[in-house]
Amino acid sequence: SGVEQLGDMIANASVIVPFTGAGISTESGIPDFRSPNGLWTRNRPIPFDEFVARQDARDEAWRRRFAMQDTFAAARPGRGHRALAALYKAGKVPAVITQNIDNLHQTSGIVANDVVELHGNTTYARCIGCGKRHELDWVRHWFERTGYAPHCTSCDEPVKTATISFGQAMPTGEMRRASELAQHCDLFLAIGSSLVVWPAAGFPILAKESGAKLVIINNEPTDQDEIADLVIRYDIGETLGPFVGN
Ligand code: OAD
Ligand code: ZN
């Protein structure tokens, strides 16, 4: 079966690079983006230029973020996260590339420096002008007191979750690190991503072109299934559960 073949591929690989999307976190209670209950199925994303230009867009973005706060705060790593953490501790996984912003790879035991966050992190905020970090509690207090999204205490520019919105520049260090990881692995695992958002979706292709074997684990088809060495169209927790260890 697919899972047995995956087990063989994992056993035979020495450098495995996982690349994760929102599908790995649905078991943890966090909705993905493009499923029937997905965030972008329910709400139009707020592009970066709107966030920069309009106070009402910033207010809406923060309202949405705080509406999700209980969900993010309660989320614990699922079987997918825990399996990857076990492979990391076994020395087979040097780092995880993720499109996720939920911090669950870090919570699962992968050190922050080895989680390459292509789309940032929603558990804290940054000023879009000077980059100063702000904590969500501070943002929430400001929001509750004034009714408006906050501006930076240092430079007065808007404060945003430390995530990458559509139209916002990708983080250059993370892009470089992901490229290097994709080019220097022998097994690349694309897990729980629809693989439609670029440039992130370029990394499985880069890994395959660089000689790695490519496995796609996702319960729906993707555009890259045809170049994969193995496609497991099944639940991530069920598929990776056997690799969690103890
Ligand atoms: P998507 O919502 O586009 O894709 C998640 C995929 O995971 C879907 O194909 C689901 O069917 C699948 N899935 C969900 N739960 C699963 C499970 N338990 N087992 C197996 N498959 C499951 O999410 P991403 O590909 O991560 O970016 O989205 C990419 C980017 O689009 C995100 O990082 C975000 C979004 O806009 C930004 O916000 C910049
Ligand atoms: Zn600032």
Side-chain angles (χ1 to χ4, degrees):
S1 76
V3 179
E4 276 165 23
Q5 207 180 329
L6 176 65
D8 290 343
M9 291 170 89
I10 287 173
N12 293 329
S14 50
V15 182
I16 303 170
V17 171
F19 168 89
T20 62
I24 199 173
S25 295
T26 54
E27 182 172 282
S28 303
I30 299 172
D32 65 11
F33 294 94
R34 292 171 184 82
S35 290
N37 191 39
L39 291 177
W40 298 160
T41 310
R42 289 181 286 148
N43 275 312
R44 182 186 73 95
I46 299 169
F48 186 63
D49 60 348
E50 276 182 38
F51 187 95
V52 172
R54 289 171 36 196
Q55 181 73 42
D56 64 338
R58 295 193 287 277
D59 297 344
E60 172 64 14
W62 278 110
R63 261 194 300 277
R64 287 185 192 176
R65 175 62 186 82
F66 290 125
M68 294 280 298
Q69 178 54 22
D70 289 348
T71 298
F72 281 118
R76 297 290 172 266
R79 287 171 289 178
H81 300 102
R82 285 154 52 209
L84 300 183
L87 292 170
Y88 171 78
K89 286 191 184 117
K92 287 223 165 203
V93 163
V96 174
I97 306 170
T98 188
Q99 301 168 85
N100 298 342
I101 58 176
D102 54 32
N103 213 54
L104 287 176
H105 288 301
Q106 291 92 327
T107 314
S108 76
I110 298 179
V111 305
N113 201 38
D114 293 331
V115 182
V116 180
E117 294 179 313
L118 295 174
H119 295 162
N121 189 303
T122 195
T123 64
Y124 58 95
R126 281 198 192 283
C127 166
I128 63 172
C130 71
K132 180 185 158 100
R133 177 175 167 140
H134 299 267
E135 302 310 321
L136 294 192
D137 276 348
W138 174 84
V139 176
R140 194 167 43 81
H141 286 135
W142 176 306
F143 200 73
E144 283 170 1
R145 190 160 38 84
T146 66
Y148 293 105
H151 286 243
C152 179
T153 47
S154 293
C155 76
D156 206 37
E157 290 295 313
V159 171
K160 183 178 168 293
T161 55
T163 52
I164 307 296
S165 299
F166 288 111
Q168 188 171 6
M170 293 292 285
T172 53
E174 283 76 2
M175 285 296 288
R176 196 177 315 114
R177 183 103 182 273
S179 300
E180 278 160 13
L181 287 162
Q183 291 173 89
H184 298 103
C185 61
D186 41 38
L187 179 58
F188 192 92
L189 307 176
I191 304 167
S193 177
S194 59
L195 303 178
V196 297
V197 173
W198 291 75
F203 290 114
I205 296 169
L206 177 62
K208 179 66 186 168
E209 285 175 352
S210 305
K213 290 230 183 329
L214 173 61
V215 176
I216 295 177
I217 308 172
N218 202 62
N219 62 14
E220 287 182 337
T222 79
D223 288 348
Q224 297 185 27
D225 289 358
E226 57 196 37
I227 66 161
D229 297 278
L230 174 64
V231 176
I232 300 180
R233 198 167 294 160
Y234 193 52
D235 182 73
I236 293 161
E238 290 296 310
T239 303
L240 294 179
F243 302 96
V244 164
N246 42 29

